[in-house]
Amino acid sequence: MNLTETDTSLFTRLRFVLVETSHPGNIGAAARAMKTMGFRHLVLVNPRFPDALSHPDAIAFASGAQDILEQAQIVDSVAAALQGCELVASVSARLREFSPPVQTPRELAEDFQRQLTGQAAIVFGNERYGLPNEVVVNSQVLVNIPANPDYSSLNLAQAIQLIAYECRMATQNEVQNPAKIGFHGQLANAEEIEGMYQHLEQALVSIAFLNPASPKKLMPRLKRLFSRTQLETEEVNILRGISKKILDLKNL
């Protein structure tokens, strides 16, 4: 069954973000993996080689997916790569103490298809070091691929291929078996959620609930709590309104 990939489909709303990728060949292989599953929005954050998208290894490993490389973006920060995204998923084989909710690729894909109304991103780390903790903590989902525990090593393109496949299958399943769900508001994007965290932190400091000199793990725990809720824009606005009221009262 061939799917119609319209401008409102997951195929055009989902971006694949590669952070500090070391080898141009891996970028080309990633482009090939994306294209075979119908995805085309690739963003690179500070790749090691400045000519990563035109490097001969990237073109060779893309193997016919040069159009993905030609359309790809290079940005200088993860925040720039995630601009406008309402849902961000980080991919890691290593679980964190204060990570957001952990999902398999299939669970993530199903959630995308059921709930996503705007842009989303899946973030992949450096081949050797993975993703920094601050990127994972600020995501709404941590994707963990349930591979062989005795040998769980997947290369970058393999991980992208697997997740892109699950996203494609979720789209196909939704066409065949549309889910019956209730009302969902607009999911808050990454910038709105980060602004809420900053506003909330200011309010907690103002009432001496959070000591900035010894913050311990309060904000990571709160981020983990909120990441389980799939915050909507109206909910973020309510929380920011509460924070503003606390700050206003403290300034009287």
Side-chain angles (χ1 to χ4, degrees):
M1 173 182 177
N2 291 323
L3 301 178
T4 301
E5 297 167 14
T6 66
D7 287 343
T8 59
S9 75
L10 185 59
F11 295 101
T12 55
R13 289 187 284 122
L14 180 59
R15 70 188 70 164
F16 290 75
V17 178
L18 312 187
V19 179
E20 298 181 357
T21 310
S22 296
H23 197 290
N26 288 334
I27 296 171
R32 180 179 181 180
M34 289 170 55
K35 186 171 182 177
T36 58
M37 292 297 117
F39 297 95
R40 51 184 176 268
H41 193 172
L42 175 63
V43 184
L44 308 182
V45 180
N46 293 325
R48 180 180 177 187
F49 291 86
D51 63 342
L53 294 173
S54 58
H55 192 282
D57 285 349
I59 295 171
F61 279 83
S63 187
Q66 287 92 332
D67 56 321
I68 305 298
L69 298 179
E70 292 168 359
Q71 298 166 14
Q73 298 171 273
I74 296 179
V75 296
D76 60 6
S77 69
V78 173
L82 302 180
Q83 189 171 7
C85 289
E86 67 180 29
L87 201 155
V88 177
S90 294
V91 180
S92 177
R94 181 167 59 90
L95 301 180
R96 271 76 163 181
E97 181 182 2
F98 296 105
S99 80
V102 179
Q103 290 187 332
T104 65
R106 185 164 300 175
E107 290 167 339
L108 174 74
E110 290 171 350
D111 277 356
F112 276 163
Q113 191 58 30
R114 284 196 304 265
Q115 301 176 20
L116 190 65
T117 57
Q119 299 289 314
I122 305 177
V123 187
F124 300 81
N126 174 272
E127 298 95 324
R128 184 175 178 183
Y129 303 110
L131 284 171
N133 283 333
E134 58 267 25
V135 174
V136 175
V137 168
N138 287 323
S139 303
Q140 285 82 58
V141 176
L142 175 61
V143 184
N144 186 260
I145 298 172
N148 177 3
D150 295 326
Y151 187 72
S152 60
S153 177
L154 282 81
N155 66 37
L156 180 60
Q158 288 172 331
I160 290 174
Q161 185 84 76
L162 193 155
I163 295 173
Y165 167 80
E166 291 292 354
C167 290
R168 185 175 186 89
M169 291 305 297
T171 303
Q172 185 171 0
N173 291 339
E174 184 72 10
V175 170
Q176 295 174 345
N177 302 296
K180 295 180 180 179
I181 58 175
F183 171 77
H184 285 293
Q186 175 72 43
L187 290 178
N189 62 40
E191 297 100 308
E192 291 171 334
I193 293 173
E194 181 57 29
M196 180 206 75
Y197 287 144
Q198 293 175 6
H199 209 166
L200 179 59
E201 185 172 0
Q202 292 170 9
L204 294 176
V205 169
S206 76
I207 59 173
F209 190 85
L210 172 61
N211 179 0
S214 181
K216 297 184 179 179
K217 300 292 184 180
L218 178 61
M219 288 310 297
R221 286 187 182 277
L222 287 175
K223 289 180 179 182
R224 184 171 68 168
L225 183 155
F226 285 121
S227 69
R228 296 198 297 267
T229 66
Q230 296 286 287
L231 284 165
E232 298 174 0
T233 297
E234 282 299 317
E235 295 164 343
V236 165
N237 290 340
I238 290 170
L239 290 167
R240 294 199 70 164
I242 294 170
S243 299
K244 182 179 184 300
K245 189 66 174 179
I246 290 172
L247 290 168
D248 288 347
L249 290 172
K250 291 298 295 183
N251 291 329
L252 288 178

